[in-house]
Amino acid sequence: MAGIFSFKCSSCDKIHEGSPSFGFNAPDPYLDQSEDVKEQGKLTEDLCFYTDEDGTHYFVRAVMEISIDGVSEPFTWGVWSSLSKSSYDRYVETYDNPDLKDCFFGYLSNYLPYYKNTYALKLEVQPQENNQRPQLVPHESEHQLVIDFKNGINISRAQEIAEKCMHS
Ligand SMILES: [Zn+2]
């Protein structure tokens, strides 16, 4: 039977309960921009763009779910994906009423803790019903995050990743 994830933390000694969920408030490259560029761009809970010398860069907030063996709720990463302008426009236009057949190509736009360089992993952004954030499906790769997405992780790995996220 699938259960609830909980563990005694080796870092703070407390019991942490519930499947871990860690989010990023912005795509990492946005945070590197000057105040001017940030002000002229846009950052909400779900959308982001900014313009630099290379042009305008578009991003959406999404989720990547990694199943944990024997646990009902997945390990959830709230991360950003880049999108092309046309995909971003389509995403914004259909935001309140997404077409579930849509699927947008993007690049992962955050450096996740625990994993080595997750930035710019290729993926698909899949809109969801009921105002849920879109789901990310990474392209086939030897990257550990992609392998974990495909195969899921065991409880001790989930604990290791969660501790790293919470306490570093
Ligand atoms: Zn802890």
Side-chain angles (χ1 to χ4, degrees):
M1 272 295 283
I4 292 172
F5 181 72
S6 85
F7 64 92
K8 186 161 192 294
C9 185
S10 66
S11 184
C12 72
D13 245 24
K14 290 188 183 130
I15 307 283
H16 294 303
E17 227 170 38
S19 285
S21 176
F22 296 103
F24 293 79
N25 294 329
D28 286 349
Y30 176 83
L31 299 175
D32 294 336
Q33 303 307 310
S34 67
E35 289 308 316
D36 258 13
V37 167
K38 285 189 207 168
E39 257 167 47
Q40 282 158 34
K42 168 174 171 155
L43 175 65
T44 71
E45 287 183 351
D46 294 298
L47 302 170
C48 179
F49 65 78
Y50 66 86
T51 303
D52 64 10
E53 60 276 13
D54 304 324
T56 303
H57 307 276
Y58 299 90
F59 307 89
V60 293
R61 171 95 185 249
V63 295
M64 187 182 290
E65 295 185 344
I66 299 189
S67 60
I68 308 171
D69 299 345
V71 173
S72 47
E73 295 290 316
F75 194 117
T76 304
W77 293 103
V79 287
W80 294 77
S81 172
S82 67
L83 287 185
S84 68
K85 175 168 177 30
S86 61
S87 294
Y88 179 88
D89 288 345
R90 168 82 180 161
Y91 182 80
V92 170
E93 269 163 32
T94 59
Y95 187 80
D96 289 321
N97 193 12
D99 184 342
L100 302 184
K101 294 191 294 296
D102 277 344
C103 193
F104 306 114
F105 174 77
Y107 294 98
L108 188 56
S109 300
N110 294 108
Y111 291 92
L112 271 53
Y114 183 83
Y115 293 100
K116 283 203 191 90
N117 197 6
T118 56
Y119 190 78
L121 283 173
K122 293 177 181 169
L123 44 81
E124 300 295 321
V125 179
Q126 298 182 341
Q128 304 291 308
E129 286 175 301
N130 303 323
N131 290 317
Q132 304 262 24
R133 288 206 166 105
Q135 297 267 352
L136 297 183
V137 179
H139 285 196
E140 282 284 333
S141 152
E142 295 301 306
H143 194 285
Q144 190 60 47
L145 178 65
V146 179
I147 294 168
D148 286 354
F149 176 85
K150 207 165 127 191
N151 300 338
I153 52 179
N154 63 26
I155 285 178
S156 64
R157 268 281 286 272
Q159 174 174 348
E160 206 182 320
I161 300 169
E163 286 183 4
K164 184 129 191 169
C165 291
M166 281 186 278
H167 297 297
S168 61

